[in-house]
Amino acid sequence: MTLKMKKLILIGGGHSHAILLKKIGQFPLINTQVILISNVKKTPYSGMLPGYIAGFYSDSETHIDLITLAKFAQAQFYLDQCLGIDLENKKVFCQNTEPISFDFLSIDIGSTPDQNLITGAKKYTIPAKPVPQFLQGWNQILTTIKVNSEHIWVKNPLTLGIVGGGAGGVELALNINHRLSQLLPENQFKINLINRQNNLLSNHNQWVSNRLYQLLLNEKINLYLGETVEKIDLNNIICQSGLNVNCNFIFLVTQASAPPWIKNSGLTTDNRGFILINPYLQSISHEFIFATGDIATMKDHPRPKAGVFAVRQGKPLFENLHRIINDKPLKSYIPQKNHLALIGTGNQEAIASWSKFGCQSPLLWKLKDYIDRQFMQQFENLI
Ligand SMILES: Cc1cc2nc3c(=O)[nH]c(=O)nc-3n(C[C@H](O)[C@H](O)[C@H](O)COP(=O)(O)OP(=O)(O)OC[C@H]3O[C@@H](n4cnc5c(N)ncnc54)[C@H](O)[C@@H]3O)c2cc1C
């Protein structure tokens, strides 16, 4: 008797799927056809993104080549944008391909800042994600600096706005500041950071929050704390208080959001539209669907949306997909409560944040650089 071939579709080439594909390449899933649907050929590694902006890393050092990785895993690669799922008939809808049927589905598509919450944000901001869109905006700024003579900035300094004072926004501000200081004299550019809360990095401890506040001040970055942005137009960030911050370019690094097609497909989500999953990394409403990374919320063990959690889910995801395909009981995975966050400060130093503990040192940057390079090294020379 021949066994029916199973079909596993992976949507998105996020951090968990990168680890998963590496595992599948090493330990192939027997009798299973694997398809990766990704809207990009190379996916960025979030840990090194601010360092790329600062100019410490190259494009290839910060991106994972998904085509090579899929080849290594003997998976088919579809360069496409997933738009929806038919849960009843087990089909995935994409922009350019006919509906694709599946037996099992795994979703790792990340998240994006919600551009709908602020009037004008969709039209006038550069969102931190999707990363290709972010990098396009960043490159536009670099080109603007290159093509304009210095005289322009003497009269009207280049001004950037960053909306959002979480780890992403603050790390971005410091790293952008570092890069601009290599390109322009200090008095020819200005960075403004606007945050709704009165304190920065409200998910981290007080020491880390205070230290980064001080570093931003030392770098002469304008801080507007306790300001809720209401409207953004071509050159202005307008706050509820009436504050108006004039900027040439505006980055949006606010709270993560999920695309509406996830909820519209009928998957059970949390109140922000993220897929609710159990400790097997399985949708709580549809057991043939798995989800990891930012797009998933562990119902009983919620954690912050951070790349470190997406990376850690890669191995248990492989284990449980292997098990469900082979009709074996699944294994539960509970993420650790506290994780060490290493926040680059743009000057080849880093701040460590762990529970109530925090410290800053150039050695921590060396450690972060080592960890990040080790992570990326595993995807090199695969075939
Ligand atoms: C500026 C900034 C700095 C950050 N720094 C850190 C850090 O230092 N450490 C850390 O832990 N976290 C950091 N984060 C958070 C981190 O980026 C995310 O938590 C992490 O990327 C989530 O990984 P993921 O696997 O869920 O998805 P992602 O890494 O976002 O990958 C999702 C992939 O799916 C693709 N995709 C999306 N939608 C579709 C679709 N519909 N169809 C097909 N493909 C699709 C995307 O193109 C992408 O390749 C940072 C975030 C920002 C904004």
Coordinates of all heavy atoms in Angstrom, one line a residue, residues 16 34 36 40 48 60 81 121 137 149 181 191 194 206-207 273 285 301 318 339 371:
S16 N 11.2 31.8 12.5 CA 10.9 30.4 12.9 C 11.0 29.5 11.6 O 11.5 28.4 11.7 CB 9.5 30.2 13.5 OG 9.2 31.3 14.3
V34 N 6.8 20.0 0.6 CA 6.9 21.3 1.4 C 6.9 22.4 0.4 O 7.7 22.4 -0.6 CB 8.1 21.3 2.3 CG1 8.1 22.6 3.1 CG2 8.2 20.1 3.2
L36 N 7.2 26.8 0.3 CA 7.3 28.0 1.0 C 6.8 29.1 0.2 O 7.2 29.3 -1.0 CB 8.8 28.3 1.3 CG 9.2 29.7 1.8 CD1 8.6 29.9 3.2 CD2 10.7 29.9 1.9
V40 N 9.1 37.8 -0.3 CA 10.5 38.3 -0.6 C 11.4 37.1 -0.8 O 11.2 36.0 -0.3 CB 11.1 39.1 0.6 CG1 10.4 40.5 0.8 CG2 10.9 38.3 2.0
M48 N 20.1 42.3 13.5 CA 21.2 43.1 12.9 C 20.7 44.3 12.1 O 21.5 45.0 11.5 CB 22.0 42.1 12.0 CG 22.8 41.1 12.7 SD 23.4 39.9 11.6 CE 25.2 40.3 11.6
S60 N 24.0 41.7 2.6 CA 24.0 40.2 2.7 C 24.2 39.7 4.1 O 23.8 38.6 4.4 CB 25.0 39.7 1.7 OG 26.3 40.1 2.1
Q81 N 2.5 36.8 -2.5 CA 1.9 37.4 -1.3 C 0.6 36.6 -0.9 O -0.3 36.5 -1.8 CB 1.5 38.8 -1.6 CG 0.7 39.6 -0.6 CD 1.7 40.3 0.4 OE1 2.9 40.4 0.2 NE2 1.1 40.7 1.5
A121 N -0.9 58.4 8.4 CA 0.3 57.5 8.6 C 0.6 56.7 7.4 O 1.7 56.5 7.0 CB 0.2 56.7 9.8
G137 N 12.7 53.4 2.1 CA 12.6 54.7 2.7 C 13.9 55.2 3.2 O 14.3 56.4 2.9
S149 N 23.5 69.5 -2.1 CA 24.8 70.0 -1.5 C 24.6 70.4 -0.1 O 23.5 70.6 0.4 CB 25.2 71.2 -2.3 OG 24.3 72.3 -2.0
S181 N 25.6 61.0 11.5 CA 26.8 61.8 12.0 C 28.0 61.5 11.2 O 29.0 62.2 11.2 CB 27.0 61.6 13.5 OG 27.3 60.2 13.7
I191 N 17.1 64.7 14.8 CA 16.2 63.6 15.0 C 15.2 63.9 16.1 O 15.6 64.3 17.2 CB 17.0 62.3 15.3 CG1 17.9 62.0 14.1 CG2 16.0 61.1 15.5 CD1 18.9 60.8 14.3
I194 N 9.1 60.7 19.2 CA 7.8 61.1 19.9 C 7.3 59.8 20.5 O 7.2 58.8 19.7 CB 6.8 61.7 18.9 CG1 7.4 63.0 18.4 CG2 5.4 61.9 19.5 CD1 7.8 63.0 17.0
Q206 N 13.4 50.0 34.8 CA 13.6 51.4 34.9 C 15.0 51.8 34.5 O 15.2 52.9 33.9 CB 13.3 51.8 36.3 CG 13.0 53.3 36.5 CD 11.8 53.7 35.7 OE1 10.8 53.1 35.7 NE2 12.0 54.8 34.9
W207 N 16.0 51.0 34.9 CA 17.4 51.4 34.7 C 17.6 51.5 33.2 O 18.2 52.5 32.7 CB 18.4 50.4 35.3 CG 19.8 50.8 35.1 CD1 20.5 51.6 36.0 CD2 20.7 50.6 34.0 NE1 21.8 51.8 35.6 CE2 21.9 51.3 34.3 CE3 20.6 50.0 32.8 CZ2 23.0 51.3 33.5 CZ3 21.7 50.0 31.9 CH2 22.9 50.6 32.3
G273 N -5.9 40.7 16.7 CA -5.9 40.1 15.4 C -4.8 39.0 15.2 O -4.6 38.6 14.1
S285 N -8.1 27.1 17.2 CA -9.4 26.7 16.6 C -9.2 25.7 15.5 O -10.2 25.0 15.1 CB -10.0 28.0 16.0 OG -9.1 28.7 15.1
H301 N 0.6 31.6 27.4 CA 2.0 32.0 27.8 C 2.4 33.2 26.9 O 3.3 33.1 26.1 CB 3.0 30.9 27.6 CG 2.7 29.7 28.3 ND1 2.8 29.5 29.6 CD2 2.1 28.5 27.8 CE1 2.4 28.3 30.0 NE2 1.9 27.7 28.9
F318 N 9.4 22.5 14.2 CA 9.8 21.4 13.4 C 9.4 20.0 14.0 O 8.8 19.2 13.4 CB 11.3 21.4 13.2 CG 11.9 20.1 12.6 CD1 11.7 19.9 11.3 CD2 12.5 19.2 13.4 CE1 12.2 18.7 10.7 CE2 13.0 18.0 12.9 CZ 12.8 17.7 11.5
H339 N 13.8 37.2 28.9 CA 14.9 36.9 28.0 C 15.9 38.0 28.0 O 15.5 39.2 28.4 CB 14.3 36.7 26.6 CG 13.8 38.0 25.9 ND1 12.6 38.6 26.3 CD2 14.3 38.8 25.0 CE1 12.4 39.7 25.6 NE2 13.5 39.9 24.8
I371 N 26.8 36.7 18.8 CA 25.5 35.9 18.8 C 24.8 36.1 17.4 O 24.4 35.1 16.8 CB 24.6 36.4 19.9 CG1 25.2 36.0 21.3 CG2 23.2 35.7 19.8 CD1 24.4 36.6 22.5

